[in-house]
Amino acid sequence: MKKAQLTARPIIHVVFVIVAILILVFGTVQIIKWIDTSKNIEIIGLHTTLSNVIKKQSRTSYGSVDEKVIALPKNVETLCFVDKTKEISPFINLNLVYEIEKYENKNIFFEPFDKFDAIQINNFELDKDENPLCLSSVKNTAKLSLTSKGNKTLISTFRDSEKEIDCVSVQYN
């Protein structure tokens, strides 16, 4: 009987180690899924907030201006708005040009681009000189200036220091 017990102990240890590894792998996979889900929830919340703010501002009297601070998901470095009804400057952010082509039906982009999906929001426009408008994240927030244009809202910023620009055109022909 003792010989059987001696051969069973290593098998029990091996089974225990295998079960422990499987539990560890399963737990890691679940944590990764929860992190991805929380990112998606943050993006959905941002989408809802931006849509509501833009819609509310467009319903105010024409020309009225309001400044809003929008909370951004953690690790978003830059928030970029693109008005696809106007000419888009390829000089503002070189990586954004690729993202605009990649997501033809989206107009809000988040940098780093490889970590966040782009989204689509309606009823806003940008000045032709600020298309796209990329704003740097400051403590996970972005400051927007919203001007009512009737059924649309003009998005800009009061502070040029908050704009994210890769290069500046000295002379544009």
Side-chain angles (χ1 to χ4, degrees), residues 9-82:
R9 277 193 175 176
I11 294 172
I12 291 172
H13 285 107
V14 169
V15 169
F16 178 75
V17 169
I18 290 172
V19 169
I21 290 172
L22 289 174
I23 289 172
L24 184 64
V25 168
F26 177 77
T28 304
V29 168
Q30 291 305 313
I31 289 171
I32 290 170
K33 285 182 181 179
W34 289 335
I35 290 170
D36 288 343
T37 301
S38 70
K39 281 183 189 177
N40 290 337
I41 290 171
E42 288 178 322
I43 294 293
I44 291 168
L46 177 62
H47 182 272
T48 303
T49 300
L50 280 172
S51 293
N52 290 339
V53 165
I54 289 169
K55 190 181 299 182
K56 182 179 177 184
Q57 186 63 27
S58 68
R59 292 180 180 159
T60 61
S61 59
Y62 188 90
S64 64
V65 178
D66 193 11
E67 188 170 336
K68 295 287 185 189
V69 177
I70 303 295
L72 299 175
K74 186 179 178 183
N75 299 325
V76 169
E77 297 170 7
T78 307
L79 169 66
C80 294
F81 295 88
V82 178

Side-chain angles (χ1 to χ4, degrees), residues 75-106:
N75 299 325
V76 169
E77 297 170 7
T78 307
L79 169 66
C80 294
F81 295 88
V82 178
D83 186 347
K84 293 194 175 182
T85 64
K86 297 178 180 169
E87 185 177 349
I88 298 170
S89 171
F91 302 114
I92 299 296
N93 187 319
L94 301 176
N95 293 325
L96 181 59
V97 173
Y98 172 73
E99 294 296 312
I100 292 169
E101 292 172 0
K102 182 175 162 185
Y103 296 103
E104 293 179 12
N105 59 342
K106 308 291 184 182

Side-chain angles (χ1 to χ4, degrees), residues 46 49-50 53 66-72 79 81 135-146 156-159 162:
L46 177 62
T49 300
L50 280 172
V53 165
D66 193 11
E67 188 170 336
K68 295 287 185 189
V69 177
I70 303 295
L72 299 175
L79 169 66
F81 295 88
L135 303 173
S136 298
S137 173
V138 179
K139 296 181 183 176
N140 295 325
T141 62
K143 293 179 183 175
L144 305 175
S145 172
L146 306 167
S156 60
T157 183
F158 287 123
R159 296 170 191 85
E162 293 172 354

